[in-house]
């Protein structure tokens, strides 16, 4: 593994790889790596000759300054995790992994980028209206990474489900021949989707956080015999009333505060009213919940 901090050095390495006809896989991350990120990197190492992992906390995708400041930065530990993944991986195809760890000035040498992306209906639901500018900021950084790394494939986690739809729309707009590879959510043993935010949960909050996934899994079972609206209402009610039903598990006013739970077409992300309205990719339930001052997101496929 080699660590690169300069965009020009990444471009050189990519040029060299391209001259040897190597297929490049890109895994964009914001660092603070965990097994979820490692699953993307592992897959990229298996499916490509050359892998670029970017670790960059992208300021322009944060619409909340405090969230940006609090975002964990753990580059040394991250590089160690990638090295041990490479060591333990047998049968990988990629010969080389570059960890790209640029500064903000290196990524945006002209200062804050002026370009703004619009994606229509896929960004007008769920995270879009609640995090103004977020997806445009994601698109700007991902496009810059696409330009630098010129990947054949790019790996994204289904935990950020709407982000995948946005990247799909971005690729349609810019017409780059890049294969978008969605990767399944990696979970802790109790089912909580791994996230760098989980470390901000108190022990009491962490102990009940698995309720989110458990509730979504039960919702998937209910979907076999209940209407879309009833499943939605049940999920929101179950989480909002959890602290009343389980007071001993919820000391000090601990409670789930759902921001939204939407059941949507998995491709267009538009809410569906009937299960039959879902298109080729089926239906997916997407949730954002506050717990202990931390905003957690998760999904379930129906
Ligand atoms: P982030 O560093 O949070 O921007 O995440 C980088 C990539 O890792 C994104 O494509 C995420 O969707 C993906 N990712 C984050 N958590 C998980 C997880 N638990 N399982 C699978 N992928 C994940």
């Amino acid at each position: 593994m080699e660590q690169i901090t300069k965009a020009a050095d990444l471009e050189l390495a990519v040029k060299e790889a391209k001259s040897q006809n190597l297929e490049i896989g890109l895994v964009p991350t914001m660092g603070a790596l965990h097994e979820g990120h490692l699953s993307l990197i592992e897959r990229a190492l298996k499916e490509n000759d050359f892998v670029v992992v970017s670790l960059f906390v992208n300021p322009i995708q944060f619409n909340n300054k405090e969230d940006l400041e609090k975002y964990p930065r753990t580059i040394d530990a991250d590089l160690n995790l990638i090295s041990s993944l490479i060591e333990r991986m047998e049968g990988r195809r990629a010969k080389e992994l570059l960890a790209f760890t640029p500064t903000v000035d290196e990524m945006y040498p002209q200062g804050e980028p002026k370009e703004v992306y619009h994606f229509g209906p896929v960004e007008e639901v769920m995270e879009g209206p609640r995090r103004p500018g977020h997806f445009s900021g994601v698109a700007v950084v991902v496009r810059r990474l696409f330009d630098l790394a010129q990947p054949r494939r790019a790996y994204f986690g289904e935990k950020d489900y709407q982000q995948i739809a946005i990247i799909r729309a971005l690729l349609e707009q810019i017409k780059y021949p890049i294969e978008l590879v969605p990767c399944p959510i990696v979970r802790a043993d109790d089912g909580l989707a791994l996230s760098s935010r989980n470390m901000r949960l108190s022990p009491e909050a962490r102990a009940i956080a698995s309720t989110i996934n458990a509730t979504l899994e039960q919702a998937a079972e209910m979907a076999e015999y209940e209407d879309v609206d009833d499943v939605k209402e049940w999920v929101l009610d179950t989480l909002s009333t959890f602290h009343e039903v389980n007071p001993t598990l919820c000391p000090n006013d601990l409670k789930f505060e759902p921001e939204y739970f939407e059941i949507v077409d998995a491709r267009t992300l538009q809410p569906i009213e009937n299960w039959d309205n879902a298109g080729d990719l089926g239906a997916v339930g997407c949730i954002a919940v506050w717990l202990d001052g931390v905003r957690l997101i998760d999904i379930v496929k129906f």
Side-chain angles (χ1 to χ4, degrees), residues 1-40:
M1 178 186 64
E2 191 184 340
Q3 182 185 4
I4 285 191
T5 55
K6 300 283 174 214
D9 291 340
L10 176 57
E11 280 176 311
L12 267 184
V14 164
K15 203 169 162 202
E16 171 66 24
K18 292 257 169 189
S19 73
Q20 298 172 37
N21 280 328
L22 301 184
E23 286 186 357
I24 300 174
L26 171 69
V27 185
T29 82
M30 298 207 296
L33 300 187
H34 49 63
E35 287 294 328
H37 301 107
L38 292 186
S39 74
L40 272 54

Side-chain angles (χ1 to χ4, degrees), residues 34-289:
H34 49 63
E35 287 294 328
H37 301 107
L38 292 186
S39 74
L40 272 54
I41 301 172
E42 178 168 355
R43 181 141 174 212
L45 284 165
K46 280 187 186 146
E47 296 179 351
N48 302 275
D49 307 303
F50 188 94
V51 169
V52 177
V53 179
S54 61
L55 301 101
F56 175 62
V57 181
N58 177 31
I60 64 166
Q61 74 182 67
F62 285 81
N63 49 320
N64 175 329
K65 201 164 164 265
E66 198 188 336
D67 202 21
L68 171 62
E69 278 160 11
K70 275 200 211 155
Y71 204 87
R73 288 156 172 90
T74 56
I75 288 282
D76 292 342
D78 292 346
L79 297 179
N80 284 335
L81 276 178
I82 299 176
S83 292
S84 39
L85 169 71
I86 293 175
E87 263 167 40
R88 76 173 187 239
M89 247 184 94
E90 282 168 22
R92 68 170 184 270
R93 179 171 140 203
K95 297 276 174 297
E96 180 64 280
L97 183 150
L98 293 188
F100 181 49
T101 58
T103 60
V104 174
D105 288 344
E106 188 63 26
M107 273 311 258
Y108 303 128
Q110 335 280 17
E112 190 162 317
K114 303 270 178 301
E115 63 212 275
V116 176
Y117 285 88
H118 296 287
F119 298 106
V122 281
E123 72 173 351
E124 284 160 13
V125 292
M126 302 191 289
E127 299 291 303
R130 292 172 175 92
R131 303 180 69 188
H134 168 69
F135 287 125
S136 181
V138 168
V140 169
V141 77
V142 169
R143 184 181 188 163
R144 176 118 174 88
L145 291 167
F146 284 167
D147 286 336
L148 292 171
Q150 296 181 41
R152 163 91 167 69
R153 300 182 188 85
Y155 296 79
F156 291 89
E158 287 184 335
K159 184 164 99 62
D160 300 279
Y161 202 82
Q162 195 170 3
Q163 175 167 276
I164 292 185
I166 294 288
I167 304 297
R168 194 177 285 127
L170 173 69
L171 283 170
E172 278 165 20
Q173 267 181 38
I174 62 179
K175 302 198 166 40
Y176 286 6
I178 298 172
E179 185 189 333
L180 168 64
V181 185
C183 302
I185 298 183
V186 177
R187 299 180 178 280
D189 288 344
D190 65 356
L192 177 65
L194 294 185
S195 164
S196 51
R197 289 161 189 241
N198 295 352
M199 58 175 107
R200 305 213 310 246
L201 295 170
S202 65
E204 293 80 9
R206 177 62 192 82
I208 61 167
S210 59
T211 308
I212 300 168
N213 171 245
T215 307
L216 294 182
E217 284 196 350
Q218 246 180 294
E221 284 172 27
M222 279 175 75
E224 287 172 25
Y225 53 90
E226 296 282 5
D227 291 342
V228 170
D229 275 351
D230 292 336
V231 172
K232 256 174 77 169
E233 200 181 314
W234 179 81
V235 166
L236 290 168
D237 273 4
T238 304
L239 289 170
S240 319
T241 57
F242 184 86
H243 61 290
E244 290 163 15
V245 180
N246 304 277
T248 50
L249 296 177
C250 298
N252 308 323
D253 219 17
L254 187 62
K255 58 171 97 141
F256 292 103
E257 290 170 293
E259 205 173 279
Y260 64 81
F261 174 60
E262 297 285 0
I263 297 180
V264 300
D265 176 278
R267 183 180 291 279
T268 65
L269 300 194
Q270 301 312 295
I272 56 168
E273 279 165 20
N274 292 302
W275 298 113
D276 294 344
N277 293 150
D280 62 329
L281 296 183
V284 65
C286 301
I287 196 163
V289 195

